[in-house]
Amino acid sequence: MRNRGRRVAAALLACLLAACSPPAVTFDATPAMWLAEDGDTRIYLLGTMHALPENTDWNRGRIAAAAAASDELVMELSPAELSAASEEFQRLAPREAPLAIDRRLPPAALAGYRALEASGSAFPADALDDWAVMVLIGQRVARNAALSPDNGVEAVLMQRFAEAGKPIAGLETARSQLMLFETLDPRTQRALLTRAAERAGDAVAEVHVLADAWSRGDVAALEREINEDVDAVPAARAAIITGRNRAWAAWIAKRMERPGTLLVAVGAGHLVGADGVPALLEAQGVTVRRVQ
């Protein structure tokens, strides 16, 4: 049961922060990509990791060709919303009244939390909501694993499309994305925080499993690590994964009514499984095939 909880925490952190692979020698990554198409519309669906080490080589081959052919890039957040995310976090994260972290976590979780905190500066956790403390944990894990959003898939694609003078849009706002966590019920928030803290020392290894599956385009492994394990937290799954997948699939299906070629780049966990975006599009009658 403890192992399952650890995997759930890692998977949810990956959904929010898309933590990924460890520092290593340069390696080739071939993440999964799909194509939704009809007579005059082609929409590529690329599963991403938002933060990567600088030695990850994924921007080539079919992905590079899809980017070159696309008229527009669509991500979870537009560049403007990405810039607004930190300010929105500062606005939403504070608690109404401070609550000491040692009153929120059981002993094992508190020990894991303190060990991770000791790897850098102290967290201002007492003043923050449970979900916001979980974000800080995820950021510290990413830092300890030498991951950077500057090397993430979205950052690289944004630079490429900006240099080409092509538009870049977003499916959500920074506020709406963070409100997914802010509006989770207190019990769910506390359960997620406890799982993230209890084995924070193992979190890097857990997200490496996700990274490896992503780099190989192994959608079965991604589904197993993210979609199956997150079922242990149904409220979080509904808010963070399922509801968003349905909204994005509806947007893509509607966009299929207009001609053009788009590259839609979203977190890899949103594209796998029976309630992943490709499967939801197929259920709506859209022709979807995997192209990488």
Side-chain angles (χ1 to χ4, degrees):
M1 187 67 179
R2 173 172 292 184
N3 288 339
R4 181 175 176 81
R6 189 169 74 238
R7 292 195 302 272
V8 170
L12 287 169
L13 286 172
C15 289
L16 180 62
L17 303 171
C20 26
S21 56
V25 297
T26 299
F27 68 94
D28 293 339
T30 54
M33 184 170 65
W34 291 259
L35 175 62
E37 61 184 335
D38 59 19
D40 57 5
T41 308
R42 294 165 62 85
I43 300 181
Y44 291 95
L45 307 173
L46 174 63
T48 72
M49 290 291 183
H50 306 320
L52 285 167
E54 62 182 357
N55 49 15
T56 309
D57 181 16
W58 57 268
N59 186 23
R60 54 188 167 73
R62 290 186 174 89
I63 294 176
S70 295
D71 309 312
E72 181 178 7
L73 172 64
V74 180
M75 307 183 300
E76 295 179 29
L77 299 179
S78 69
E81 290 297 329
L82 282 169
S83 297
S86 179
E87 183 178 345
E88 287 295 341
F89 180 84
Q90 295 296 326
R91 182 180 296 115
L92 294 173
R95 293 179 55 87
E96 291 184 4
L99 179 63
I101 194 68
D102 59 6
R103 294 180 57 191
R104 304 191 217 180
L105 296 175
L110 183 61
Y113 171 89
R114 292 299 187 198
L116 181 66
E117 185 179 44
S119 68
S121 59
F123 297 132
D126 294 358
L128 302 179
D129 287 335
D130 287 356
W131 70 266
V133 180
M134 190 179 74
V135 170
L136 297 185
I137 290 173
Q139 291 175 336
R140 180 65 57 83
V141 169
R143 191 209 70 175
N144 289 352
L147 309 179
S148 172
D150 292 338
N151 302 320
V153 174
E154 285 82 356
V156 173
L157 289 176
M158 280 194 296
Q159 180 178 357
R160 178 169 183 173
F161 275 72
E163 290 174 350
K166 297 179 182 180
I168 306 171
L171 295 164
E172 300 174 332
T173 66
R175 180 175 178 82
S176 69
Q177 197 170 82
L178 291 175
M179 284 296 290
L180 295 169
F181 290 86
E182 171 75 2
T183 56
L184 288 173
D185 67 272
R187 178 177 294 183
T188 299
Q189 288 194 38
R190 185 62 52 84
L192 294 177
L193 172 59
T194 300
R195 286 186 171 101
E198 187 171 20
R199 294 302 297 268
D202 294 331
V204 169
E206 294 290 340
V207 298
H208 291 171
V209 174
L210 295 173
D212 180 63
W214 173 81
S215 69
R216 292 182 286 106
D218 189 340
V219 296
L222 282 171
E223 181 181 3
R224 186 166 56 249
E225 292 297 322
I226 295 177
N227 288 349
E228 290 182 3
D229 284 336
V230 83
D231 281 337
V233 191
R237 178 183 178 85
I240 299 166
I241 298 181
T242 310
R244 298 166 77 196
N245 290 358
R246 290 173 178 166
W248 298 349
W251 184 92
I252 293 168
K254 181 69 175 177
R255 180 59 184 80
M256 295 292 297
E257 298 175 2
R258 293 188 286 123
T261 301
L262 277 68
L263 174 58
V264 174
V266 297
H270 293 283
L271 301 185
V272 300
D275 58 1
V277 173
L280 292 174
L281 286 170
E282 287 185 321
Q284 297 180 54
V286 177
T287 299
V288 182
R289 59 187 174 92
R290 185 170 172 181
V291 293
Q292 174 164 294

